[in-house]
């Protein structure tokens, strides 16, 4: 049985991946600087609290491991990544350089790196009706924020280790992954969770705050689809970066309307134009991933948001 390391196992995608891999019968070690907020660390066979910015800790994390899913990162939603730049770049570069080197030295068979749609250039994302971004669009490079620059740099770190030392790598560029058991308050949450929380806390007819004019567009991928796509990529022989996301484009205003409908509430929108909103439009081109992995998202935005909304409502202790 293969031994798998999931880093960032105290976070959203990481702890879901621990559960996913356990169901498939793998032996799984989780590593993070914190325990999962909404589940038990005992879902993994072993859970180690280790700071991967430290190289010795990275070596301890990969000891005896066959394959690594590397989700560890200092990150958050648009509010967080536009406010915290130096820490994001320093912490994440350290984590990724340490993990590449540790995997090489320990003879790990394969490492997966969770990159991001934030690597794509700003100049291709100026219109809400954006052309879906394909993998080759990443260059010439012009990411919108430091988080995206770090992801692009770290992709190249893994690619360099692959070319020079034959480290076996897999790279996904995630496009807005959402779902239950993801952070929804305190500042690191992303748009779907923040909007579900605001609608859940609002009374029928209330106004909620929206960042920007709400006409910015994105696509959103439900966690279960992300896990399946990630696993297929890991088990494939595809060594280049690959989009994992949805190609259904929605405005933030449309997303609020979908959540309000799920909640059965009439919700008014107050647009805060001075708040960060990121690029104007971003969508995923799934041509390559469909071809390579025979994968595409199965869960509609309405269904995914319904599950996410119900879970956040329960967390907030709201009954009706
Ligand atoms: P998350 O913040 O929930 O999980 C990241 C985890 O990494 C956290 O639990 C955090 O404590 C841990 N971590 C941070 N610094 C660490 C350190 N020094 N050592 C060990 N662990 C550390 O984020 P997530 O949404 O689960 O994202 C997982 C990965 O996917 C990240 O690399 C993220 O950049 C990437 N990604 C996520 C999305 C998304 O929409 N969720 C989109 C693009 C890329």
């Amino acid at each position: 049985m293969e031994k798998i390391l999931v880093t960032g196992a105290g976070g959203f995608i990481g702890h879901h991946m621990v559960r996913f891999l356990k169901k498939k019968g793998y032996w799984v070690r989780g590593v993070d600087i914190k325990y999962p907020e909404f589940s038990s660390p005992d879902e993994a066979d072993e859970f180690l609290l280790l700071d991967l910015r430290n190289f010795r800790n990275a070596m301890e994390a990969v000891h005896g491991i066959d394959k690594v899913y590397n989700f560890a990162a200092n990150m958050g939603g648009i509010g967080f990544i536009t406010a915290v730049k130096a820490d994001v770049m320093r912490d994440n570069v350290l984590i990724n350089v340490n993990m590449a080197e540790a995997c090489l030295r320990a003879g790990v068979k394969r490492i997966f790196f969770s990159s991001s749609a934030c690597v794509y250039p700003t100049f291709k994302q100026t219109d809400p009706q954006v052309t879906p971004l394909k993998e080759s669009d990443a260059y010439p490079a012009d990411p919108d924020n430091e988080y995206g620059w770090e992801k692009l740099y770290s992709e190249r770190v893994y690619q360099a280790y692959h070319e020079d030392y034959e480290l076996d790598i897999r790279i996904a560029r995630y496009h807005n992954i959402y779902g239950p058991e993801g952070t929804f308050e305190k500042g690191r949450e992303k748009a779907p969770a923040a909007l579900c929380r605001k609608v859940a806390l609002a009374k029928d007819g209330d106004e909620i705050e929206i960042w920007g004019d709400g006409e910015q567009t994105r696509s959103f991928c439900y966690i279960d689809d992300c896990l399946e796509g990630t696993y297929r990529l890991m088990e494939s022989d595809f060594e280049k970066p690959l989009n994992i996301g949805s190609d259904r484009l929605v405005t933030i205003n449309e997303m609020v309307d979908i959540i309000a409908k799920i909640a059965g509430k009439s919700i008014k929108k107050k647009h805060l134009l001075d708040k960060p909103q990121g690029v104007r439009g971003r969508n995923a081109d799934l041509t390559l991933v469909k071809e390579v992995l025979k994968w595409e998202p199965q869960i509609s935005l309405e269904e995914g948001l319904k599950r996410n909304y119900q879970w956040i409502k329960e967390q907030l202790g709201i009954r009706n």
Side-chain angles (χ1 to χ4, degrees), residues 94-308:
L94 287 172
I95 291 169
N96 287 312
V97 168
N98 285 341
M99 287 305 296
E101 180 67 21
C103 285
L104 181 68
R105 288 202 199 174
V108 165
K109 285 186 201 146
R110 187 170 291 171
I111 177 164
F112 167 87
F113 171 53
S114 45
S115 185
S116 167
C118 285
V119 302
Y120 288 115
T122 315
F123 63 81
K124 286 198 181 263
Q125 304 174 84
T126 54
D127 191 303
Q129 287 312 311
V130 59
T131 305
L133 294 154
K134 52 185 186 306
E135 287 77 357
S136 56
D137 286 329
Y139 296 95
D142 178 27
D144 175 51
N145 51 51
E146 278 67 17
Y147 169 76
W149 277 106
E150 185 281 328
K151 287 290 189 195
L152 197 61
Y153 172 78
S154 289
E155 283 188 4
R156 296 190 73 109
V157 169
Y158 288 106
Q159 285 166 324
Y161 269 77
H162 173 63
E163 285 164 24
D164 290 3
Y165 303 124
E166 293 171 18
L167 184 68
D168 197 14
I169 58 164
R170 300 289 180 273
I171 300 173
R173 290 184 184 147
Y174 288 148
H175 292 246
N176 299 311
I177 314 303
Y178 73 100
E181 299 180 39
T183 187
F184 60 93
E185 55 188 358
K186 298 182 196 151
R188 284 188 189 246
E189 64 276 17
K190 317 249 177 58
L195 296 174
C196 284
R197 184 197 71 229
K198 288 177 186 179
V199 172
L201 291 171
K203 291 192 210 61
D204 192 24
D206 272 1
E207 186 177 72
I208 65 164
E209 292 182 346
I210 314 287
W211 288 10
D213 66 1
E215 291 305 306
Q216 66 271 35
T217 53
R218 294 290 185 279
S219 63
F220 297 89
C221 180
Y222 190 69
I223 182 69
D224 293 10
D225 285 323
C226 165
L227 296 173
E228 179 62 31
T230 302
Y231 181 72
R232 284 195 201 186
L233 174 57
M234 185 64 143
E235 293 304 308
S236 77
D237 56 9
F238 194 76
E239 294 168 336
K240 300 256 163 56
L242 199 56
N243 284 335
I244 289 190
S246 157
D247 57 6
R248 175 168 164 201
L249 196 65
V250 286
T251 68
I252 295 300
N253 286 332
E254 283 165 350
M255 181 176 247
V256 175
D257 293 341
I258 295 171
I259 300 169
K261 195 171 169 201
I262 291 164
K265 296 178 186 178
S266 160
I267 296 289
K268 296 191 199 92
K269 306 177 190 90
K270 181 181 181 185
H271 293 110
L272 305 181
L273 301 180
D274 58 341
K275 290 285 186 185
Q277 53 167 296
V279 293
R280 194 65 180 145
R282 174 178 292 152
N283 198 2
D285 184 315
L286 302 182
T287 311
L288 189 59
V289 70
K290 282 183 194 170
E291 185 191 313
V292 172
L293 303 183
K294 311 283 173 255
W295 171 94
E296 63 184 301
Q298 301 296 315
I299 298 177
S300 71
L301 186 60
E302 284 76 8
E303 177 57 29
L305 284 173
K306 191 171 146 194
R307 296 183 199 176
N308 205 9

Side-chain angles (χ1 to χ4, degrees), residues 10-13 32 51-52 71 73 75 114-115 147 151 177 190:
F12 171 50
I13 303 176
D32 203 299
D51 185 338
L52 297 169
F71 296 113
M75 62 97 67
S114 45
S115 185
Y147 169 76
K151 287 290 189 195
I177 314 303
K190 317 249 177 58

